[in-house]
């Protein structure tokens, strides 16, 4: 079974303008988490245009497009929600109109990660054009709420839709490298309680903010001493938010809470991360409450699918068939060796592999450092090369499975 690498790459190049136009259309549609309906409909339109065999939108609002009828289900995923634009003064261009020249496209979502969506849809077109069908079904997903709660969409797809691919390609930005893992994360709340009194006589009360101060200092020290891992790197934490309750500005605070963004390396669990904080001397002295946040925000369809704010670590072995399939495809298309590495940030793989042990492997256009940044950009050549990779991967996987 020969894979026509040169034909695939040349076909992808002919769709350079179509991919760019589609991406710019998606960028023009504001699609922050829980407000993705219009961009989902635009994706559906493009899937229909290029000839997907079956398209559906599930009750959460994820769009699922299918190509082929084979027995091996392979999925490719792009989240199609974005973060907000932040301080508009930091942008040189309208974040939703963006900018385009021969090499780059600028706009919110360009790298993170509507570029991956555009490349996947046109990979479907290439598969159709070149008759690359085999004993596989390709599922292309445009998933919602990832920026709010990474992996929730795939919890729904796996648990409720009962879809379980053999492996999943995550198309988050990798600079066209192959990524096989990431640190996990969790969202932790630490709360202290006090007793309010008039601010003119603070000794009559018990200030919850003062109780929190040594906890914050000990958390800063804890960060420096977390577990390290040779591949994924060190676990980390940072205090990301602080809240208080008080009868007035002229009163002692009777409550204080902080949010902790905790990144988990290989070997750490949510239980161990919570216990590390609970065992801090300042936490014990203050009798502080340490807990994990939950996420219960409705999707744009109104569906509420509650989950703990825990997003497990995952690592796919370098020798795994999915990893080696992407290495094979990369070599065949580009005649050079790929860099196999990991993400710094989090992806939907936290559910797909972290929770459900479905193998995940990453390859995407765009760069990590563009995610959530003003003047976010992606590169047109990378969009084309990613489309070629996505069109190649399913047949390359079947070939490897057959030992050919």
């Amino acid at each position: 079974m020969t894979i026509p690498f040169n034909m695939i790459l040349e076909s992808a190049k002919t769709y350079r303008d179509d991919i760019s136009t589609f991406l710019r259309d998606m960028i023009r549609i504001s699609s922050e988490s829980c407000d993705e309906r219009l961009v989902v409909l635009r994706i559906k339109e493009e899937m229909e245009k290029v000839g997907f065999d079956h398209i559906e939108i599930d009750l959460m609002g994820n769009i699922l497009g299918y190509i082929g009828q084979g027995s091996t289900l392979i999925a490719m995923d792009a989240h199609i929600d974005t973060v907000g634009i932040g301080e508009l003064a930091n942008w040189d261009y309208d974040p939703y109109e963006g900018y385009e020249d021969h090499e780059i496209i600028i706009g919110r979502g360009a790298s993170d990660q509507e570029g991956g969506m555009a490349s996947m849809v046109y990979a479907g077109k290439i598969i159709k054009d070149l008759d690359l069908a085999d004993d596989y079904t390709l599922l292309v997903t445009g998933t919602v709420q990832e920026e709010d709660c990474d992996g929730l969409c795939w919890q729904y797809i796996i648990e409720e839709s009962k879809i379980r691919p053999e492996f999943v390609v995550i198309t988050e930005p990798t600079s066209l490298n192959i990524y096989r893992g990431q640190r996990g994360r969790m969202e932790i709340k630490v709360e202290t309680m006090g007793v309010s009194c008039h601010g003119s006589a603070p000794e009559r009360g018990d200030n919850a903010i003062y109780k929190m101060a040594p906890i914050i200092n000990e958390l800063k020290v804890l960060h420096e001493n977390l577990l390290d891992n040779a591949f994924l790197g060190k676990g980390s934490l940072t205090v990301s938010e602080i809240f208080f309750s008080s009868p007035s500005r002229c009163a002692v605070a009777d409550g204080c809470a902080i949010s902790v963004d905790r990144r988990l390396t290989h070997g750490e669990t949510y239980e161990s991360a919570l216990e590390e904080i609970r065992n801090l001397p300042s936490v014990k002295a203050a009798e502080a409450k340490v807990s994990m946040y939950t996420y219960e925000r409705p999707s744009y369809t109104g569906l509420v699918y509650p989950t703990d704010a825990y997003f497990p670590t995952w690592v796919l072995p370098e020798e795994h068939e999915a990893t080696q399939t992407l290495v094979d495809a990369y070599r065949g298309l580009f005649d050079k060796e790929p860099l196999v590495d990991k993400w710094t940030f989090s992806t939907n793989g936290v559910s797909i592999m972290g929770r459900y042990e479905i193998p995940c492997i990453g390859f995407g256009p765009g760069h990590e450092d563009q995610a959530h940044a003003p003047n976010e950009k992606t590169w047109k050549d990378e969009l084309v090369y990613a489309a070629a990779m996505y069109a190649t991967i399913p047949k390359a996987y079947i070939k490897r499975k057959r030992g050919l």
Side-chain angles (χ1 to χ4, degrees):
M1 180 173 65
T2 302
I3 298 174
F5 293 111
N6 289 339
M7 291 176 65
I8 293 170
L9 190 54
E10 289 307 308
S11 179
K13 290 176 181 177
T14 68
Y15 290 115
R16 178 187 175 102
D17 290 346
D18 298 89
I19 297 169
S20 297
T21 298
F22 178 36
L23 174 55
R24 291 209 68 194
D25 282 355
M26 286 189 285
I27 288 171
R28 289 187 180 102
I29 302 168
S30 175
S31 55
E32 293 182 31
S33 295
C34 307
D35 189 26
E36 304 97 338
R37 184 180 72 87
L38 293 179
V39 80
V40 165
L41 293 177
R42 179 63 186 88
I43 293 164
K44 182 174 183 287
E45 177 186 336
E46 202 74 9
M47 285 182 169
E48 291 170 343
K49 172 185 168 184
V50 306
F52 273 64
D53 296 321
H54 176 66
I55 305 163
E56 60 184 74
I57 299 171
D58 67 22
L59 294 178
M60 179 174 273
N62 305 300
I63 184 165
L64 295 82
Y66 293 84
I67 288 181
Q69 306 292 329
S71 62
T72 299
L73 181 62
I74 298 167
M76 297 183 184
D77 176 69
H79 73 81
I80 44 79
D81 61 321
T82 71
V83 295
I85 61 173
E87 177 53 61
L88 186 58
N90 292 331
W91 287 79
D92 297 327
Y93 308 93
D94 183 322
Y96 296 119
E97 179 55 35
Y99 167 83
E100 177 182 7
D101 62 22
H102 182 69
E103 295 182 353
I104 64 170
I105 294 172
I106 292 176
R108 178 55 84 220
S111 271
D112 187 21
Q113 64 130 148
E114 290 169 344
M117 188 76 236
S119 294
M120 285 195 300
V121 169
Y122 276 86
K125 177 64 171 165
I126 296 164
I127 290 170
K128 290 284 189 177
D129 288 350
L130 301 182
D131 192 20
L132 299 174
D134 207 315
D135 188 23
Y136 68 81
T137 299
L138 176 62
L139 168 60
V140 171
T141 62
T143 46
V144 300
Q145 290 180 277
E146 191 273 350
E147 295 291 5
D148 248 18
C149 187
D150 29 324
L152 180 67
C153 47
W154 272 91
Q155 286 185 57
Y156 183 87
I157 289 169
I158 294 166
E159 294 282 358
E160 307 305 324
S161 301
K162 307 301 179 186
I163 295 171
R164 194 175 180 92
E166 199 154 310
F167 77 99
V168 181
V169 179
I170 302 290
T171 66
E172 292 261 20
T174 68
S175 304
L176 299 184
N177 299 315
I178 297 169
Y179 285 2
R180 63 181 184 90
Q182 58 158 97
R183 293 181 303 168
R185 71 179 187 91
M186 60 186 300
E187 298 173 0
I188 300 172
K189 179 190 284 188
V190 183
E191 300 170 273
T192 55
M193 300 303 296
V195 178
S196 63
C197 69
H198 200 286
S200 64
E203 67 278 1
R204 296 173 183 166
D206 184 15
N207 196 315
I209 294 175
Y210 289 169
K211 288 182 173 181
M212 188 63 74
I215 294 174
I216 292 172
N217 286 333
E218 288 190 4
L219 286 171
K220 186 176 180 182
V221 174
L222 177 60
H223 163 76
E224 300 297 331
N225 294 282
L226 295 173
L227 188 65
D228 204 350
N229 175 264
F231 178 61
L232 290 182
K234 195 176 78 66
S236 66
L237 68 79
T238 189
V239 176
S240 56
E241 296 177 310
I242 187 163
F243 312 95
F244 73 93
S245 60
S246 176
S248 78
R249 291 181 184 172
C250 301
V252 166
D254 55 14
C256 187
I258 58 171
S259 300
V260 177
D261 179 316
R262 178 70 160 88
R263 303 288 158 153
L264 305 163
T265 197
H266 189 66
E268 295 182 310
T269 66
Y270 76 86
E271 296 100 331
S272 67
L274 290 172
E275 284 305 305
E276 284 171 334
I277 297 176
R278 288 171 179 151
N279 288 331
L280 292 175
S282 57
V283 169
K284 291 181 175 180
E287 298 182 344
K289 179 182 177 183
V290 180
S291 60
M292 183 160 49
Y293 281 98
T294 59
Y295 181 84
E296 300 180 19
R297 189 178 175 194
S299 76
Y300 76 85
T301 67
L303 179 76
V304 177
Y305 201 69
T307 192
D308 289 331
Y310 169 55
F311 312 93
T313 307
W314 61 275
V315 179
L316 187 69
E318 192 158 8
E319 64 274 13
H320 192 278
E321 280 191 336
T323 311
Q324 291 306 310
T325 291
L326 267 68
V327 171
D328 292 344
Y330 189 98
R331 287 171 178 159
L333 285 168
F334 309 123
D335 195 27
K336 60 182 179 180
E337 290 297 311
L339 172 65
V340 180
D341 206 348
K342 71 220 175 263
W343 277 290
T344 300
F345 59 38
S346 188
T347 75
N348 280 330
V350 296
S351 281
I352 302 165
M353 188 166 180
R355 287 180 183 267
Y356 298 105
E357 300 182 346
I358 298 170
C360 276
I361 188 70
F363 186 88
H367 301 181
E368 271 196 87
D369 63 6
Q370 295 301 306
H372 304 185
N375 302 303
E376 179 183 348
K377 64 177 176 281
T378 197
W379 288 260
K380 291 183 176 181
D381 283 349
E382 293 192 12
L383 296 169
V384 169
Y385 297 148
M389 273 286 285
Y390 302 151
T392 303
I393 288 167
K395 202 169 186 71
Y397 184 70
I398 298 299
K399 181 179 180 181
R400 176 168 277 275
K401 280 187 70 175
R402 292 174 179 162
L404 298 176

